[in-house]
Amino acid sequence: MTDEIVAGLEALLARFDATLGAGYSAVLYGAAARGEPTPDRSDVHVLLILDQATSAQLRALGPGFKAWGRAGFHAPLLLTRREWARSGDAFPIEITDIKAAHRVLRGKDPAGEVSVAPRDLRAALERDLASGLMRFRQAWALHASEPARLGEVARGAAAPMVSLCRGLLALAGRTVPASADAVVREAVQVTGGAPEALAAVVAARYQKGWKCPPETFEGFLAAVDAAARYVDGFSTGDR
């Protein structure tokens, strides 16, 4: 994460300090927290965890949230501490990712306040992989001879697929590497198949206008299919 981004976040959080005092935690998560490139401020993600979220507090946060958007960042996500502690079954993939790599910007580290059950992680992975597989098959049927359209679909799928691969590795009890490339290669090793196509899609995720060769998209589709079948057949009793 660049000094410029850090300075931008600090200036924005100062607005929340004035409103919330010490009654909140701010956590940086995602690519920036893992030290990956973040070419756009919209790739920087922050979670706010409040002691409470009254209507008056939320209204008071409004100017700060608007300033966040004007600075080019996505507005932070917001949960109360009670909601966060009980959200392991609602957001198992996201919380697994946050617990694995995050940076506390304000308050106490909330990572130890929430846990994710393997059965909930498996169910979420199964749902998201099956849903993605249907969409990617549809895209392949419609655009198999259109590399530009395939590139749009593949680039949009790259970041979510990396997150799903991290969740899959966590489910399998494997060490989750830091870099996105290493994550997808390790995940494909677990599920079977060749990692080159998925790695190529992930490598191109920031390349606007990238044209995905049909054979690369076909390999990407096969990798997603293998991941979906692996999770579908996974028993949480295997760990």
Side-chain angles (χ1 to χ4, degrees), residues 186-227:
E186 180 76 10
V188 173
Q189 185 180 53
V190 170
T191 61
E196 285 73 19
L198 183 53
V201 167
V202 169
R205 64 193 184 280
Y206 297 128
Q207 299 176 24
K208 294 182 179 180
W210 179 64
K211 296 180 179 180
C212 181
E215 60 271 19
T216 298
F217 195 93
E218 190 171 15
F220 165 74
L221 184 60
V224 178
D225 187 17

Side-chain angles (χ1 to χ4, degrees), residues 6-16 68 106:
V6 171
L9 290 175
E10 284 295 323
L12 292 165
L13 287 170
R15 289 174 171 262
F16 296 149
W68 211 274
R106 290 290 191 278

Side-chain angles (χ1 to χ4, degrees), residues 1-14 41 73:
M1 187 168 57
T2 67
D3 292 341
E4 182 264 340
I5 288 178
V6 171
L9 290 175
E10 284 295 323
L12 292 165
L13 287 170
R41 284 188 168 193
F73 295 103

Side-chain angles (χ1 to χ4, degrees), residues 29-44:
Y29 66 97
R34 290 188 295 269
E36 295 180 15
T38 49
D40 193 294
R41 284 188 168 193
S42 63
D43 297 314
V44 177

Side-chain angles (χ1 to χ4, degrees), residues 6-7 133-134:
V6 171
L133 186 59
M134 288 191 291

Side-chain angles (χ1 to χ4, degrees), residues 10-28:
E10 284 295 323
L12 292 165
L13 287 170
R15 289 174 171 262
F16 296 149
D17 294 341
T19 302
L20 299 172
Y24 80 109
S25 293
V27 177
L28 177 73

